[in-house]
Amino acid sequence: MSDIHDTVFPGDFPGREDKIKYFKEISSTMDVARELAQTGCPHSTVVIADRQVKGRGRLKRTWVSEKGGLYFTLVLRPQLSPLESYKVNFLASLVLAKTLRQKYSINAGVKWPNDILVGGKKISGILSEMETQTDRIDYINLGMGINVNNDPSGVEPKATSVKKILNRNVSRKDLLTDFLNEFEARLCTVATDDVIFQWKQHTVTLNQKVRIVTHHEVSEGIAIDVDQNGALLLAQSDGLVKTILYGDCFLV
Ligand code: BTN
């Protein structure tokens, strides 16, 4: 029976032991993953921490990382061009939403670009960093924060966790294993799969009125589609359709 004090040890992942780098407490799994990636660690190395003291979110936000959550960064070296790298993030959010639905009967959906929501509340977020060499990807570090046995609602009222939804603790090891198995299998064919089409089957963003916030502008409109490059198409009140490449999306 797992509880909030369970720990994810390399030995919990038969066949992957060498690629699991576990830390009880760390600044951010992104920092360690970057060092490992730059010194040549293999594809699919996973840096996991029970706690992060400097957890990072998108757009320079903090990701509060208390014990009980699942915080990891996956070092990936996919056979993709840098222009196709967006597919990796969409695949990760799609696979996590499907894992939560299929294994835990949690009604998870994806919000553009890569958040996972349940009942309008965030259960997981993704941050990625990429290094390229001219026309190929050297590495993509995919950082995922999943609220599992923690309760994030004290610091972020619009967040939830697996425990809050199911009213019990679950094994973080099982959740991570299920996610990794499915994600890695699907990553092999991500170049040719229509990931965006599949992602759209699980999204809570389309046909909604949304506000998109970036560092320098705020746009509002109806989210009418996500194009083949992962950009959000926003129908504005002036009749124009704006293509949004990045930003924070709020349902209004
Ligand atoms: C977001 O929604 O803003 C993205 C959050 C990403 C958080 C994860 S936790 C593991 C990895 N390490 C970090 O410092 N951030 C990512």
Side-chain angles (χ1 to χ4, degrees), residues 28-29 52 55-58 61 63 72 122 125-126 144-145:
S28 160
T29 56
Q52 301 183 114
R56 305 204 297 268
R58 292 175 63 247
R61 281 187 308 249
W63 183 265
F72 64 95
K122 184 157 163 172
I126 295 178
M144 299 186 70

Side-chain angles (χ1 to χ4, degrees), residues 51-236:
R51 280 190 71 221
Q52 301 183 114
V53 287
K54 284 194 182 155
R56 305 204 297 268
R58 292 175 63 247
L59 302 173
K60 299 206 164 95
R61 281 187 308 249
T62 298
W63 183 265
V64 178
S65 311
E66 291 306 327
K67 222 169 149 55
L70 188 51
Y71 314 109
F72 64 95
T73 300
L74 199 47
V75 181
L76 302 168
R77 302 190 189 275
Q79 300 294 314
L80 292 173
S81 76
L83 287 176
E84 295 171 309
S85 63
Y86 69 90
K87 287 188 165 192
V88 172
N89 292 15
F90 280 87
L91 179 65
S93 53
L94 171 67
V95 169
L96 181 59
K98 287 181 83 171
T99 303
L100 292 171
R101 293 170 87 98
Q102 289 167 0
K103 302 278 178 179
Y104 301 91
S105 303
I106 288 177
N107 193 13
V110 286
K111 179 171 77 92
W112 186 89
N114 301 123
D115 288 348
I116 290 103
L117 302 191
V118 181
K121 294 187 170 181
K122 184 157 163 172
I123 196 164
S124 174
I126 295 178
L127 172 71
S128 69
E129 293 175 357
M130 177 168 70
E131 189 72 39
T132 58
Q133 307 263 342
T134 53
D135 61 347
R136 72 173 183 83
I137 294 171
D138 185 10
Y139 64 82
I140 296 176
N141 283 352
L142 185 80
M144 299 186 70
I146 311 173
N147 296 320
V148 184
N149 299 326
N150 55 320
D151 179 359
S153 58
V155 277
E156 179 46 83
K158 285 189 143 181
T160 189
S161 68
V162 174
K163 182 181 179 178
K164 279 196 76 116
I165 295 161
L166 300 183
N167 231 352
R168 64 180 169 90
N169 288 312
V170 302
S171 159
R172 294 178 307 149
K173 180 204 83 170
D174 290 349
L175 175 53
L176 181 57
T177 304
D178 288 336
F179 170 79
L180 288 177
N181 288 345
E182 182 68 15
F183 177 75
E184 287 175 354
R186 300 221 26 199
L187 192 61
C188 301
T189 55
V190 74
T192 49
D193 282 355
D194 194 344
V195 178
I196 299 293
F197 174 80
Q198 293 166 34
W199 183 93
K200 283 196 248 180
Q201 312 304 306
H202 295 275
T203 189
V204 295
T205 305
L206 296 184
N207 305 316
Q208 304 284 330
K209 185 158 191 213
V210 296
R211 181 178 304 122
I212 308 293
V213 181
T214 70
H215 285 309
H216 30 255
E217 65 173 354
V218 177
S219 315
E220 270 193 20
I222 307 289
I224 52 171
D225 205 358
V226 171
D227 73 13
Q228 276 310 303
N229 301 315
L232 186 74
L233 304 184
L234 193 67
Q236 301 182 133

